[in-house]
Amino acid sequence: MKQSRRNFLKFAGLSAAGLCLAPTAAALASGGGGHGKAHAVVNANSKHAKRWAMVIDTRKLNTDEAINALAEVCHHIHNVPTIPGKQDIKWLWEGTYSETFPNQTNNFPSEELEKRKFPLLCNHCETPSCVRVCPTKATFKRADGIVAMDYHRCIGCRYCMAACPFGARSFNFMDPRLHLDMEKINVKFPTRMRGVVEKCNFCVERLAVGEMPACVEKSSGAMTFGDLQDPDSNVRKVLRENFTIRRNPAAGTEPGVYYII
Amino acid sequence: MLEKALKGGPKYWSWIFFLLLIIGAGFVVYVNQLQEGLTVTGLSRDVSWGFYIAQFTYLVGLAASGVMIVLPYYFHHYKKFKGMVIMGEFMAIAAVVMCLGFIIVDIGQPQRMLNIIFHPTPNSILFWDMIVLNGYLLLNVVIGWTCLESERQRVKPPKWIRPLAYTSIVWAFSIHTVTAFLYAGLPGRHYWLTAILAARFLASAFCAGPAILLLVVFITRKVTAYDPGKAAINTLTKIITYAMLVNVFFFLLEVFTAFYSNIPGHTHSLAYLFVGSHGHTELVPWMWTATVFAFISLALLVPPKLRDNQKLLPWALILLVIATWIDKGLALLIGGLTPNPFNEITTYWPTGKELMISMMVYALGALTLTILYKIATDIKRDLGELVEPE
Ligand code: SF4
Ligand code: SF4
C-alpha cells in the first residue's frame, strides 16, 4: 500500500519536475529507469500537462448508444461492476439536459436539445470540494489537476460523496467483485474492495504510458483532451472556437470538463 | 468507585441484562454488516448518509446539552443545579460514547479508522469533529469523576477543576458548532448550506438535550429516590422552553428565506419534506407530526401554569423530544441529500438491520448511562443525600 502510493507521488512529483526541466521525456526516462518497479508507472512516453481538461462536443456525442459504448469501455478497463439497483458504481454515464445542468434549465427547450443525452463523469475540479472534506487525503489533487483516489487509504466515511455537487462519486456498498466477471477483468488495473469510494480518474494509468483516456479515444473526435494552461493546446483551440458551458458553476469548484452545446 | 456498579437489586440486574441482550443481538447484525458491507443498509449512491449519521448528529446535541446545567452553575453560581451537575456530565459521556459508536458503524472500512489520526487533514471538518468530540469525552470523564470522588471523600474538588469546567463549557458549544460545519460547508446541498445551521443545532440541542436529561432524571428519581429539587427542575424547564422557541423561530427563518426568495434549490428540500415532490411523499407525515408535536409541546411549556404542572411536564418533554428527533435525527440528513445533484429523488428508508445496529449503539449508551448513574446515586445515598425507595 505504501509502495504504490509512494510511486504515485513520485510520479506526480516527477511530472511536475519534468515540466520545469527541459527535455521532459529525457528527464523522466532517467528518473523512471532508476527504481525499476514491475508496473510501468513512469513511462518515457507518458503524457503531461499543467492542467488536464476535457471538452465534450454534445452536437456529435449525444445518444444513449454512443455514450453507453464509452461507458462500457471505461467500465471494462477499470473493472467497474454493474450492480442492479441504487447502489451501482458509475464512472461515466449519461443524463438528460436537465439532469446535467439542473440550474440552467429552460421552460421551452428546443426539441433537439430535449432529446440529447449528455455524458457525465467526474469534472476533476480546480477547487474540488471532495478533496477539501476528505479526512485522510485519500482523495487528492495531483499537480496536473487530476483528482485521484487512494483506495487503500479511504476509510469509507463518504464525506466526499456529500460534498461533490455533481454526484460523481460511487461507494462500494458491497464487494464489487461479486458483480464482475472475474474471467474477463482487466488484470492490468486493480479491482476494489467493499467499503471504499471510487470515481473516474481521467485514465491516469493510460496517460502514464502515453495513451489518451479510453473514452476520448473511443469518441471518434467528439471529445478533446489536453492541457488547459497551454494556449496552443487542442482543448484551448476548441474552447476558443465554440460556445461551451460547465456544470453547476455556482458551486465554485471550477470543473475541468466543458460541454459544447 | 466502579464497584458500586456491581452491587444492585434484581431490578437493576434485569435492566443490565436486557441491555446486554440488545447489544448482543445488534452486534450479530453488525458482524453481518462487516461481512457484507453497508449494502445491508438502505443507503444508496444518492443518499450516501442516513440513519447512523443522523443519530450521531442528534446525539451530539444531547452531549452538548449538559452545558445548560453546568453553565448556570459555574458562571452564575446557580447553586440549585448542584445536584444535577454530575448528571449532566455523565449524560454527556454516554452521549459521546453513542456518537462515536454511530460513526464507527457508519464507516465502510472501520479497521482503517485511525487513518484520520495517522494522516491528519486540517482542511477536513471531520478531522476537527474527531478532535472536539474526543476532547469533550475526556473533559467530562475527568471532571465528572474527580468531582464525584471528592464528593465521596467529603472534600472540596481540587482547584484545577474550575478552569477545566470553564473549558468544558466553551467546548460544549464547539462540538455542536463543528458538527454543524460538517454540513454547512458543502456546496450544492442547499438544505444544509445556511449560515444559521450551527445556531439551529445549538438551539435544538439546548431544548432536546435537557428534555431527555430531565426525563432520565425523572426515571432515576423513581428508582433511587434521587431528587434534584423542584427549583432545579423548574429552572431547567424554563431553559428548555426558551431554547425550543428559538429552535422553532430559527426553522421559520429558513422557511421564509427559501420561499420568499423563491430560489429553486432552497425550496426543493423543504418542499420534498413537507408536501412531497415528484410523487414522493415518504417524509410528509413525519414532518407534520413533528410540526404538530412541536406546537403542542410549546403550548404545554409556555404558560407558567402548565409548565409547572409536574404531571403534564413529562408529556410535554416527550412530545418535544419526538419533534426534535424527527427534525434532526431523520429529516435533516435525508432532506439534505434529497433531491440529489441531478434534481431527482432517490428515496431512503433505514432497513431492519440498520435499525438493529442502531439499537445496539443506543443500548450501549444506556448501559454507560446506567452504570454512571448507579455510581452517582449510590454515592449520594452513602452521603445521606437520598432516601431509600420503599
Ligand atoms: S466532480 Fe465531484 S468528485 Fe470530481 S473533482 Fe469535482 S467535486 Fe470532486
Ligand atoms: S470516503 Fe474515503 S475518499 Fe471519501 S472522504 Fe472518506 S476517506 Fe476520503
Side-chain angles (χ1 to χ4, degrees):
Chain A
M1 157 190 158
K2 276 236 169 77
Q3 207 53 34
S4 73
R5 187 177 165 81
R6 193 173 314 135
N7 283 337
F8 218 76
L9 291 176
K10 206 184 253 177
F11 171 54
L14 279 170
S15 322
L19 286 163
C20 306
L21 300 170
T24 316
L28 282 164
S30 63
H35 63 92
K37 282 282 160 300
H39 41 292
V41 180
V42 178
N43 185 289
N45 311 316
S46 60
K47 293 206 182 296
H48 312 280
K50 285 204 183 107
R51 195 335 177 183
W52 286 115
M54 180 185 273
V55 186
I56 302 173
D57 190 341
T58 67
R59 295 167 306 194
K60 292 186 199 148
L61 175 65
N62 53 33
T63 60
D64 270 343
E65 303 81 64
I67 298 169
N68 285 338
L70 305 188
E72 220 165 274
V73 179
C74 167
H75 288 183
H76 173 255
I77 64 164
H78 294 116
N79 300 322
V80 178
T82 304
I83 301 169
K86 47 187 188 178
Q87 296 183 341
D88 196 11
I89 313 277
K90 294 176 189 171
W91 280 32
L92 195 160
W93 69 105
E94 38 88 15
T96 59
Y97 179 86
S98 66
E99 283 163 356
T100 313
F101 305 100
N103 304 327
Q104 303 154 64
T105 49
N106 191 340
N107 49 355
F108 297 113
S110 76
E111 275 170 31
E112 193 270 336
L113 197 66
E114 219 172 2
K115 276 199 220 103
R116 265 192 219 178
K117 287 288 167 59
F118 295 75
L120 298 169
L121 68 163
C122 168
N123 290 289
H124 297 272
C125 306
E126 187 62 42
T127 53
S129 41
C130 56
V131 172
R132 195 181 315 143
V133 302
C134 179
T136 63
K137 305 188 187 89
T139 300
F140 57 99
K141 196 175 135 211
R142 297 168 14 127
D144 58 5
I146 294 182
V147 174
M149 278 290 304
D150 183 340
Y151 306 118
H152 300 281
R153 188 179 284 188
C154 172
I155 59 173
C157 65
R158 312 189 296 295
Y159 198 4
C160 51
M161 296 177 79
C164 170
F166 305 97
R169 302 187 145 242
S170 306
F171 179 67
N172 284 287
F173 285 94
M174 65 197 83
D175 182 356
R177 293 168 201 125
L178 295 174
H179 291 274
L180 282 173
D181 185 348
M182 291 307 278
E183 308 275 282
K184 291 203 195 114
I185 62 164
N186 174 15
V187 289
K188 288 206 212 115
F189 199 81
T191 57
R192 267 76 60 196
M193 69 201 308
R194 72 175 143 58
V196 300
V197 167
E198 62 178 73
K199 63 166 192 73
C200 151
N201 66 351
F202 260 5
C203 283
V204 272
E205 81 284 0
R206 289 171 59 91
L207 294 173
V209 294
E211 290 172 82
M212 275 282 148
C215 56
V216 175
E217 206 173 86
K218 176 92 184 167
S219 72
S220 27
M223 284 166 140
T224 314
F225 193 76
D227 190 348
L228 196 62
Q229 286 198 5
D230 172 5
D232 303 322
S233 71
N234 54 350
V235 281
R236 286 287 289 275
K237 182 167 176 286
V238 181
L239 288 175
R240 250 195 314 272
E241 290 166 3
N242 296 280
F243 172 71
T244 52
I245 56 175
R246 292 187 287 176
R247 293 173 65 196
N248 197 357
T253 62
E254 296 286 334
V257 176
Y258 298 74
Y259 293 86
I260 302 175
I261 302 298
Chain B
M1 289 190 284
L2 268 176
E3 74 283 352
K4 300 269 183 217
L6 294 175
K7 272 180 261 153
K11 264 199 198 141
Y12 171 71
W13 282 112
S14 27
W15 171 242
I16 296 276
F17 186 73
F18 171 69
L19 290 178
L20 287 175
L21 211 69
I22 298 182
I23 295 172
F27 190 73
V28 172
V29 184
Y30 180 56
V31 170
N32 173 261
Q33 179 184 298
L34 282 179
Q35 282 167 339
E36 296 189 17
L38 286 165
T39 179
V40 303
T41 67
L43 294 168
S44 59
R45 202 172 174 280
D46 292 325
V47 185
S48 49
W49 278 343
F51 201 70
Y52 298 150
I53 292 296
Q55 302 321 296
F56 153 74
T57 310
Y58 191 70
L59 292 167
V60 176
L62 180 55
S65 70
V67 79
M68 286 292 104
I69 293 167
V70 180
L71 190 145
Y73 178 70
Y74 279 104
F75 280 0
H76 303 287
H77 305 287
Y78 186 70
K79 294 290 173 224
K80 300 214 168 85
F81 274 166
K82 183 166 192 307
M84 282 239 267
V85 167
I86 191 78
M87 296 317 200
E89 274 159 0
F90 281 178
M91 175 67 94
I93 295 176
V96 179
V97 165
M98 288 188 274
C99 289
L100 297 175
F102 274 114
I103 292 188
I104 292 172
V105 298
D106 185 68
I107 280 179
Q109 286 288 333
Q111 73 279 19
R112 289 185 191 158
M113 211 166 44
L114 291 180
N115 274 0
I116 298 194
I117 295 166
F118 295 153
H119 309 287
T121 313
N123 50 284
S124 173
I125 301 293
L126 209 56
F127 170 75
W128 295 106
D129 211 32
M130 183 243 349
I131 294 201
V132 291
L133 273 179
N134 285 297
Y136 194 61
L137 181 61
L138 195 72
L139 275 173
N140 277 287
V141 168
V142 171
I143 299 172
W145 204 253
T146 316
C147 286
L148 195 60
E149 179 69 40
S150 37
E151 216 178 297
R152 188 170 78 135
Q153 314 272 3
R154 294 167 206 266
V155 293
K156 275 202 155 169
K159 277 233 160 60
W160 52 263
I161 278 294
R162 270 198 168 258
L164 271 197
Y166 292 151
T167 314
S168 86
I169 290 171
V170 183
W171 206 285
F173 285 87
S174 83
I175 63 169
H176 225 25
T177 304
V178 174
T179 304
F181 285 176
L182 279 182
Y183 303 100
L186 303 181
R189 306 280 177 193
H190 293 287
Y191 194 50
W192 298 338
L193 190 67
T194 156
I196 61 163
L197 195 66
R200 277 179 61 199
F201 271 31
L202 286 170
S204 97
F206 294 155
C207 60
I212 295 174
L213 181 66
L214 216 46
L215 288 169
V216 174
V217 161
F218 289 157
I219 297 170
T220 316
R221 185 169 69 179
K222 263 227 157 85
V223 293
T224 66
Y226 154 81
D227 195 351
K230 215 172 160 134
I233 293 178
N234 286 351
T235 309
L236 196 57
T237 317
K238 258 184 220 138
I239 292 174
I240 294 171
T241 310
Y242 281 115
M244 184 61 174
L245 285 170
V246 175
N247 185 30
V248 171
F249 175 63
F250 281 175
F251 188 77
L252 293 175
L253 294 183
E254 300 276 25
V255 175
F256 171 81
T257 309
F259 287 100
Y260 194 78
S261 74
N262 201 25
I263 292 176
H266 291 272
T267 57
H268 280 156
S269 297
L270 281 169
Y272 168 66
L273 291 176
F274 282 94
V275 292
S277 70
H278 300 77
H280 290 285
T281 53
E282 297 77 18
L283 282 164
V284 174
W286 289 86
M287 293 318 287
W288 288 106
T289 309
T291 311
V292 171
F293 280 16
F295 281 106
I296 299 179
S297 75
L298 279 179
L300 293 176
L301 285 172
V302 172
K305 252 215 184 115
L306 296 178
R307 179 170 64 229
D308 292 339
N309 181 336
Q310 299 278 323
K311 288 249 149 51
L312 274 179
L313 184 57
W315 296 106
L317 296 179
I318 289 172
L319 290 179
L320 186 151
V321 170
I322 297 175
T324 49
W325 181 82
I326 294 175
D327 174 33
K328 217 163 136 209
L330 192 72
L332 180 92
L333 257 279
I334 305 181
L337 295 167
T338 324
N340 67 9
F342 311 102
N343 217 349
E344 287 180 324
I345 309 254
T346 305
T347 53
Y348 162 79
W349 201 245
T351 60
K353 288 186 180 178
E354 232 170 324
L355 295 177
M356 288 279 287
I357 293 172
S358 302
M359 284 317 293
M360 167 183 84
V361 182
Y362 269 116
L364 209 65
L367 186 69
T368 315
L369 193 69
T370 308
I371 292 174
L372 292 175
Y373 272 33
K374 174 79 168 53
I375 296 172
T377 51
D378 273 10
I379 284 176
K380 285 188 190 287
R381 190 195 56 213
D382 294 351
L383 291 169
E385 286 178 19
L386 315 179
V387 275
E388 273 301 317
E390 59 293 352

